[in-house]
Amino acid sequence: MSVAAAIAGLAGGLLIGAAAVLLMWSLGRIAGICGILGSALTLKFDRDWRWRALFLAGLVAGGWLAAAGGLNDWRALTYPAGIVGTAIAGLLVGVGTTIGSGCTSGHGVCGLSRLSGRSLMATLAFMASALVTVFIVRHLL
Amino acid sequence: MVEIAALLVGLLFGVGLTVSDMVNPERVIGFFDLAGSWDPTLAFVMGGALTATFIGYRLVLKRPAPLLDTQFHLPTAKVIDARLIGGAVLFGIGWGVGGICPGPGVTSLASGRIEPLVFVIALAAGTLGAKIWLGRKS
């Protein structure tokens, strides 16, 4: 990792955190992406569905804007799992975050900063399981 | 106002994920690859995000209510059970295999590439399947 990547990581992390704070300040909501996505998928087109759908649209728009502004290059994205592996990964992430009530943003950022014991245990569990998984995939298989 | 706030906050979140390169699975997997060429970027991202939320949440949650709602909607569950840990372990396996978690998956739909699209469709299917399995209504 270069110094530039570390600075970009820190700056991007601060933006992510600032967005989570702004969501709590404005709507009083936790910025957990899997929770927002899961509720949006219920397709009850009420007021709560609308803000969630627009938040998710904002994510895509933000990605587009940052790349258009030269802050990332979509061609540089590398998907080591391939198409089939990525599909299996998506299923596991969907099932796991729904059963475990949170993902990196919900437990790892919002929950940890609220000093939630549940989020701390969940974050340790998914970090550990990702470490073991990557070791198996990269060095044993 | 609620809708505009949600859109702008989502946009800021998406910019953050893209600037930090968390949309790149190789970089995320690199963080977990201690036995390979370790890439600590994810730790900088988490550090930046937690610094902002740790301070910001304390300021915001002192207020009686959010700007555009009558109350804060905070999780109330306290129990650490097999469901929480089992779900997190499954999520970690999927994250380790693909190098994509939900936020970057949705954000990188903007790339127009096939992999994020496949990921988000599978993510939605897994989420809905688990919801049905759990017998949830909402």
Side-chain angles (χ1 to χ4, degrees), chain A residues 27 51 54-55, chain B residues 1-11 68:
Chain A
L27 305 193
W51 81 257
L54 281 159
F55 179 90
Chain B
M1 271 314 287
V2 169
E3 284 81 5
I4 295 168
L7 181 70
L8 292 178
V9 169
L11 191 140
L68 305 173

Side-chain angles (χ1 to χ4, degrees), chain B residues 8-133:
Chain B
L8 292 178
V9 169
L11 191 140
L12 189 64
F13 205 113
V15 170
L17 286 169
T18 307
V19 168
S20 61
D21 204 28
M22 290 296 101
V23 287
N24 189 356
E26 178 64 34
R27 196 177 283 287
V28 173
I29 289 173
F31 177 75
F32 294 114
D33 192 12
L34 298 180
S37 55
W38 186 53
D39 183 330
T41 305
L42 179 72
F44 285 87
V45 180
M46 287 295 284
L50 281 170
T51 303
T53 49
F54 197 84
I55 299 167
Y57 270 8
R58 265 144 200 83
L59 297 173
V60 165
L61 291 171
K62 270 187 203 157
R63 301 169 61 91
L67 288 180
L68 305 173
D69 202 336
T70 52
Q71 57 172 334
F72 291 106
H73 302 267
L74 300 174
T76 51
K78 292 268 182 267
V79 62
I80 294 165
D81 54 9
R83 187 183 140 181
L84 176 77
I85 303 302
V89 167
L90 276 182
F91 163 44
I93 295 171
W95 197 20
V97 167
I100 314 171
C101 59
V106 173
T107 302
S108 58
L109 286 174
S111 70
R113 293 184 55 166
I114 186 76
E115 292 92 341
L117 186 61
V118 167
F119 177 83
V120 171
I121 291 169
L123 175 70
T127 301
L128 287 173
K131 272 181 183 285
I132 290 165
W133 182 69

Side-chain angles (χ1 to χ4, degrees), chain A residues 48-88:
Chain A
D48 276 346
W49 183 86
R50 282 204 304 275
W51 81 257
R52 290 187 174 104
L54 281 159
F55 179 90
L56 294 170
L59 280 182
V60 182
W64 180 85
L65 200 69
L71 297 168
N72 205 325
D73 180 356
W74 296 131
R75 289 166 301 181
L77 305 190
T78 308
Y79 295 85
I83 301 277
V84 175
T86 298
I88 293 167

Side-chain angles (χ1 to χ4, degrees), chain A residues 10-27:
Chain A
L10 198 59
L14 284 167
L15 291 179
I16 292 166
V21 171
L22 287 173
L23 193 66
M24 187 61 78
W25 183 52
S26 59
L27 305 193

Side-chain angles (χ1 to χ4, degrees), chain A:
Chain A
M1 185 195 68
S2 62
V3 174
I7 293 170
L10 198 59
L14 284 167
L15 291 179
I16 292 166
V21 171
L22 287 173
L23 193 66
M24 187 61 78
W25 183 52
S26 59
L27 305 193
R29 299 283 182 169
I30 295 280
I33 309 300
C34 52
I36 291 173
L37 180 72
S39 299
L41 285 171
T42 56
L43 304 181
K44 285 181 201 152
F45 301 108
D46 55 7
R47 182 184 152 94
D48 276 346
W49 183 86
R50 282 204 304 275
W51 81 257
R52 290 187 174 104
L54 281 159
F55 179 90
L56 294 170
L59 280 182
V60 182
W64 180 85
L65 200 69
L71 297 168
N72 205 325
D73 180 356
W74 296 131
R75 289 166 301 181
L77 305 190
T78 308
Y79 295 85
I83 301 277
V84 175
T86 298
I88 293 167
L91 276 174
L92 283 167
V93 171
V95 172
T97 55
T98 303
I99 293 176
S101 313
C103 53
T104 330
S105 49
H107 281 314
V109 176
C110 300
L112 284 190
S113 60
R114 291 177 56 240
L115 305 178
S116 154
R118 267 171 65 84
S119 289
L120 175 62
M121 294 311 292
T123 304
L124 290 174
F126 65 66
M127 287 282 182
S129 110
L131 273 173
V132 172
T133 302
V134 169
F135 182 76
I136 292 170
V137 170
R138 291 242 152 145
H139 302 286
L140 297 183
L141 294 183

